[in-house]
Amino acid sequence: MRILEDLGKRMLFFDGGMGTLLQENGLGPGELPELWNLTRPELIADIHRRYRAAGADILTANTFGANPVKLNGSGHSTEEIVAAAVATAKKAASGALVAMDIGPTGKLLKPLGDLAFKDAVSAFAQAAAAGEKAGADLILIETMSDTYECKAAVLAAKESTKLPVFVTMVVDEQGKLLTGGDIAAAVALLEGLGVDAVGLNCGFGPEQMKKFLPQLTEACSLPVIVNPNAGLPRTEGDKTVFDVKPEEFSAAMEEIVKAGAWVVGGCCGTTPEYIEAMVRRCKDLSPRPIVPKNRTVVSSFARAVVFGKKPVLIGERINPTGKSRLKQALRDSDMDYLLREAITQQENGAHILDVNVGLPEIDEPALLRRAVTEIQGISDLPLQLDTSDPKAMEGAMRVYNGKPLINSVNGKAESMEAIFPLVKKYGGAVIALTLDENGIPPTAQGRFEIAEKIVKTAQSYGIDKKDLIFDTLAMTISAGQENAAVTLEALRLIRDRLGLHTSLGVSNISFGLPQREHINAAFFTMALQNGLGAAIVNPNSAAMMDAYYAYCALSGKDEQCMAYIARYSAQKTEAAPLAAGEISLFDAVVRGLKESAHAAALRLLETEEPLNIINTHMIPALDRVGKDFEQGVLFLPQLLMSAEAAKSAFEVIRGKMTANGEQTKKEKIILATVKGDIHDIGKNIVKVLLENYSYDVIDLGKDVPPETVAGAAEEGGVKLVGLSALMTTTVANMADTIRLLHEKVPDCRVMVGGAVLTPEYAKQIRADSYSKDAMGAVHYAQKLFGGE
């Protein structure tokens, strides 16, 4: 592939914004720009030619929204639009490469939204395959703010084409994606999936984007892409303009190149003049060499866990071995029990959660997929996918949102042949057991030799040894007094000779003995001192956690003993597992446990009035969730799961209030995505939260004309309207809607939100309030209506 051959040999340049130039040429608010590939191909070709003349090496086809989800109802197929777009770009390329551009669908994926993961993969696959068939040279997946949707797009591109895949993400002021992921977590996922280059685009101008580049280059061993906007948008009259000029843009891009970017270009607001200025300043700079990070890392949607900094704790409680209550929960599909176990382990200090649902009488592939999806809804910890069934493993790896820990592979040829292809395709770090066809070697040297064999075989599949974590197998000392010593010696050999990380299922050492915690804690400490990198333990065990925190303090892995002090200064005791008993309504809502919230509401209704339950249990829980979300300690998936738990409880409470003849709704609020805009993610999130605070939400949907919004507000006597817009092309319609509302319903207030908006921008279009997130909308409603 020519693009892969050129990477690193010289700077490569993308083009700039397509939508900016289409708007200048009459693209209407909300009009699908992809349709212009059919109706105005010469204009599209002229834009491509201008970018090529400015020095762009890669022309981005006008296919950002060319997928079945966004084109639904347009009267044109994805294949038709993509074929026309790529053909037009190639006609104008004059030696440049053409990228098939894939943007987000505008929908949240299940369980947070209504688009199934498999349907997202299918939609992106149609677009990617059409791009390759039309002659695209690479695929650019851009403006992704959700790692799960990004994974769907990457899988689609890699499964349906042989083209190189570049990915760029959009982050907020804290460097977080919409669904809470940080840059390190996103990089771990994308490197695991085998993309060819990773970077950032949109959202900010180059100056703001510069501050995120160190996070990217520190985590990433791939070529880095940076495609910023021409600053932040603002309005001048009825026109959207950007606050960074070409020379200022190019100067900042020169700094970005010197800091490590290999491929640079522009996004919203950038024109051929911007690209020409950037190329002029940067074309003779040499790409800075990439230093491989050699990090052993796993991730969830929100966070990355790096092995080697301090020992990693893997919670063992979601594994039916020896746990009769968990076995029954699995047979009953009692997912709430599993979620409570997950929460308790996280609260007690686990860094990763083991998930094993294997019982002979259940459909393990289906239940493991469900368990993974639901646990990721309430916990931001990475998961260890633990199964001996390759079918179950692949199903779980496919739907997992992040780079998982895989448990396990071993030295048997059939095991490696089953697991390593999955790791190569989906990414992951793998627990490798030091046993083979001959069983478990009785000596440390024998286990080390199996480790060497596994490393060599993994490399033949293209899997780097950094993604292997070796379990030297703790065998019970009740069956052999030398078992502990052999296991510990094998740990040292793998650490010292191979330079790799290790793991153990610590409690196996005491099987068959009384008072096992004493043996477990002592052996755990010995193993840590012999180089153990990760341990599968019970984080609810005070003895095990005491040993861990003491070891980290004594070994210097706990800087200034801060973690030890934080844990023990208040003489805290371990919390009882949530799965062991009833959970309060407050805790159920905060933790996102739907079934527990439903049950807790029923219990409270036996002794308390419905309105009192809402005011003293529900609202405080929702406020706590909102505060944690705003402070960045809880993320969008958890926020929405808490909202679902609250909804489950409210259904019970409202049923009682209705039976009593009581009012269950507060003031009316209208929500709408403005005319021409088909993105309703933000609006739908706001709706869920406002309804949980008992507001009567009238959802007018998306692509709503100003007259419809004003008419509904006037007819219903509504005092608050919330408007959403994600596209710069539709902000003019938002301004028109606000103007009409002020004219027709002068006492109605308008709050606005969306990715293209800023407080200043909102003020210019005469909005009464700007909310950067869904909780901001709740706070404004409370302030306006005199709520809590």
Side-chain angles (χ1 to χ4, degrees):
M1 296 291 182
R2 188 176 123 202
I3 183 67
L4 301 183
E5 294 171 359
D6 288 345
L7 275 172
K9 294 179 181 177
R10 63 180 181 87
M11 288 304 305
L12 294 175
F13 301 98
F14 268 109
D15 53 12
M18 173 65 73
T20 303
L21 299 179
L22 295 184
Q23 290 172 46
E24 289 180 0
N25 283 276
L27 182 71
E31 187 178 356
L32 292 175
E34 292 78 20
L35 298 185
W36 280 30
N37 295 308
L38 303 176
T39 60
R40 301 189 66 180
E42 280 308 313
L43 173 64
I44 303 295
D46 182 62
I47 292 172
H48 287 315
R49 283 191 289 266
R50 289 173 59 193
Y51 276 124
R52 178 56 175 152
D57 299 297
I58 307 168
L59 302 179
T60 308
N62 183 30
T63 56
F64 182 81
N67 62 68
V69 176
K70 281 194 171 181
L71 293 177
N72 184 33
S74 69
H76 298 279
S77 70
T78 299
E79 291 76 11
E80 178 187 13
I81 296 291
V82 170
V86 174
T88 298
K90 289 178 70 68
K91 178 181 176 182
S94 298
L97 300 174
V98 172
M100 168 67 197
D101 191 15
I102 294 180
T105 61
K107 292 182 174 291
L108 278 175
L109 271 60
K110 291 181 178 179
L112 307 182
D114 56 4
L115 181 62
F117 182 80
K118 64 181 180 61
D119 293 335
V121 174
S122 176
F124 289 131
Q126 286 186 51
E132 182 179 49
K133 183 178 180 181
D137 300 291
L138 69 148
I139 289 174
L140 172 64
I141 299 168
E142 65 167 330
T143 322
M144 286 290 171
S145 59
D146 175 5
T147 53
Y148 206 31
E149 185 175 27
C150 190
K151 177 174 181 175
V154 172
L155 286 177
K158 295 183 77 68
E159 290 175 348
S160 59
T161 81
K162 292 181 170 56
L163 298 178
V165 178
F166 289 10
V167 178
T168 56
M169 304 161 289
V170 58
V171 297
D172 64 15
E173 305 87 21
Q174 284 75 46
K176 301 280 191 179
L177 280 72
L178 170 69
T179 48
D182 61 20
I183 289 173
V187 167
L189 165 68
L190 294 170
E191 285 192 341
L193 289 172
V195 305
D196 298 291
V198 172
L200 303 172
N201 81 296
C202 206
F204 297 105
E207 285 295 334
Q208 295 92 340
M209 204 167 278
K210 272 195 307 187
K211 72 178 184 179
F212 301 123
L213 192 57
Q215 297 178 46
L216 188 57
T217 55
E218 180 183 346
C220 190
S221 299
L222 294 174
V224 166
I225 310 165
V226 180
N227 292 337
N229 289 346
L232 298 174
R234 55 186 173 83
T235 55
E236 288 185 357
D238 59 353
K239 185 178 181 182
T240 301
V241 298
F242 292 80
D243 60 5
V244 175
K245 303 306 178 187
E247 286 305 319
E248 183 184 352
F249 181 88
S250 66
M253 294 307 292
E254 181 179 6
E255 294 181 43
I256 286 173
V257 168
K258 290 179 178 178
W262 279 21
V263 190
V264 291
C267 200
C268 300
T270 59
T271 63
E273 290 74 25
Y274 286 80
I275 302 306
E276 182 178 19
M278 177 184 67
V279 172
R280 187 170 60 248
R281 291 189 74 129
C282 301
K283 65 180 179 179
D284 295 327
L285 298 176
S286 297
R288 197 173 79 178
I290 295 173
V291 179
K293 306 307 180 294
N294 291 319
R295 301 195 315 167
T296 301
V297 58
V298 296
S299 69
S300 65
F301 67 90
R303 66 167 82 180
V305 171
V306 181
F307 289 74
K309 294 183 177 180
K310 63 166 54 177
V312 173
L313 299 179
I314 304 168
E316 69 178 11
R317 297 298 301 166
I318 306 177
N319 185 320
T321 304
K323 302 180 185 71
S324 58
R325 177 64 185 88
L326 178 59
K327 288 180 180 179
Q328 191 58 48
L330 294 175
R331 295 187 188 103
D332 297 340
S333 293
D334 181 3
M335 202 56 57
D336 209 56
Y337 184 88
L338 272 71
L339 301 183
R340 291 161 74 173
E341 285 283 14
I343 290 168
T344 301
Q345 291 183 96
Q346 178 166 359
E347 291 180 346
N348 283 336
H351 306 126
I352 297 171
L353 300 177
D354 181 74
V355 183
N356 184 319
V357 298
L359 287 177
E361 65 269 33
I362 67 170
D363 181 352
E364 185 180 0
L367 188 56
L368 185 58
R369 288 195 303 272
R370 182 184 173 195
V372 165
T373 301
E374 295 210 20
I375 291 172
Q376 286 206 295
I378 54 91
S379 173
D380 62 345
L381 294 185
L383 303 184
Q384 174 172 272
L385 308 181
D386 186 356
T387 177
S388 59
D389 181 345
K391 181 181 178 182
M393 181 67 78
E394 178 165 20
M397 291 178 76
R398 189 170 184 84
V399 301
Y400 180 76
N401 190 359
K403 179 183 178 183
L405 184 57
I406 303 304
N407 191 8
S408 60
V409 75
N410 61 55
K412 295 179 181 179
E414 64 177 355
S415 174
M416 293 186 283
E417 289 168 2
I419 298 301
F420 283 151
L422 301 181
V423 175
K424 180 62 179 175
K425 178 175 181 177
Y426 296 107
V430 192
I431 301 293
L433 309 181
T434 52
L435 62 87
D436 61 11
E437 288 84 356
N438 298 314
I440 302 173
T443 66
Q445 180 61 30
R447 298 180 197 185
F448 173 78
E449 290 170 359
I450 291 176
E452 287 187 306
K453 178 176 69 173
I454 293 173
V455 168
K456 184 177 180 180
T457 305
Q459 289 175 336
S460 72
Y461 283 89
I463 299 168
D464 195 284
K465 68 177 186 178
K466 68 180 175 59
D467 284 326
L468 300 174
I469 300 165
F470 283 94
D471 186 334
T472 57
L473 300 170
M475 310 274 293
T476 179
I477 55 172
S478 65
Q481 199 69 41
E482 73 290 345
N483 281 343
V486 171
T487 297
L488 297 176
E489 174 62 18
L491 288 179
R492 290 193 296 271
L493 289 175
I494 290 171
R495 177 195 63 184
D496 297 342
R497 294 186 187 178
L498 296 178
L500 299 180
H501 300 291
T502 53
S503 175
L504 284 175
V506 173
S507 62
N508 293 337
I509 200 71
S510 63
F511 188 77
L513 294 174
Q515 299 294 320
R516 295 178 63 187
E517 270 197 345
H518 300 312
I519 297 291
N520 294 345
F523 177 67
F524 184 30
T525 303
M526 294 171 70
L528 290 170
Q529 193 153 3
N530 280 274
L532 182 66
I536 303 175
V537 299
N538 178 7
N540 306 335
S541 164
M544 297 301 287
M545 299 306 288
D546 290 347
Y548 174 77
Y549 282 97
Y551 168 79
C552 289
L554 290 166
S555 64
K557 296 182 183 296
D558 179 3
E559 188 173 348
Q560 298 181 321
C561 303
M562 294 304 295
Y564 184 89
I565 292 169
R567 186 173 181 88
Y568 297 108
S569 61
Q571 297 294 312
K572 293 195 302 181
T573 57
E574 297 300 328
L578 291 176
E582 294 180 346
I583 181 172
S584 71
L585 180 56
F586 179 93
D587 285 339
V589 171
V590 168
R591 290 164 167 135
L593 300 172
K594 290 183 289 186
E595 294 176 21
S596 292
H598 182 93
L602 285 173
R603 289 197 305 272
L604 286 171
L605 283 170
E606 295 175 3
T607 57
E608 296 187 35
E609 291 300 315
L611 190 58
N612 186 62
I613 296 172
I614 291 173
N615 290 332
T616 62
H617 300 274
M618 296 291 298
I619 297 301
L622 291 168
D623 288 344
R624 165 70 178 277
V625 170
K627 182 179 178 181
D628 287 348
F629 176 71
E630 290 173 327
Q631 293 179 346
V633 297
L634 179 144
F635 305 109
L636 182 60
Q638 296 152 299
L639 176 73
L640 293 181
M641 290 304 293
S642 292
E644 285 297 309
K647 181 180 178 181
S648 176
F650 267 128
E651 288 174 355
V652 177
I653 297 168
R654 285 172 180 153
K656 180 70 170 178
M657 293 180 75
T658 301
N660 294 345
E662 299 176 40
Q663 177 66 38
T664 63
K665 293 283 188 180
K666 293 183 181 178
E667 292 81 359
K668 294 179 181 179
I669 300 174
I670 286 175
L671 296 180
T673 302
V674 299
K675 181 180 178 181
D677 204 318
I678 60 171
H679 301 86
D680 59 358
I681 290 176
K683 173 185 66 65
N684 292 342
I685 295 169
V686 171
K687 176 184 177 182
V688 169
L689 296 188
L690 286 172
E691 287 181 334
N692 275 345
Y693 279 84
S694 294
Y695 291 107
D696 186 2
V697 178
I698 302 169
D699 184 1
L700 299 180
K702 55 193 177 184
D703 189 18
V704 185
E707 297 78 13
T708 302
V709 178
E714 188 174 20
E715 180 181 345
V718 176
K719 304 300 183 185
L720 178 60
V721 170
L723 300 176
S724 173
L726 191 67
M727 303 161 64
T728 56
T729 56
T730 59
V731 175
N733 286 337
M734 179 178 279
D736 289 342
T737 305
I738 294 172
R739 188 161 46 246
L740 190 60
L741 279 166
H742 286 168
E743 176 187 329
K744 297 289 187 181
V745 198
D747 60 342
C748 180
R749 298 291 177 263
V750 183
M751 59 182 179
V752 298
V756 297
L757 294 172
T758 64
E760 296 75 22
Y761 211 1
K763 188 175 181 180
Q764 288 178 33
I765 60 177
R766 299 183 61 211
D768 297 291
S769 174
Y770 161 79
S771 298
K772 71 174 183 177
D773 56 39
M775 282 309 303
V778 172
H779 294 327
Y780 183 69
Q782 290 176 320
K783 178 181 177 181
L784 181 66
F785 295 124
E788 295 81 359

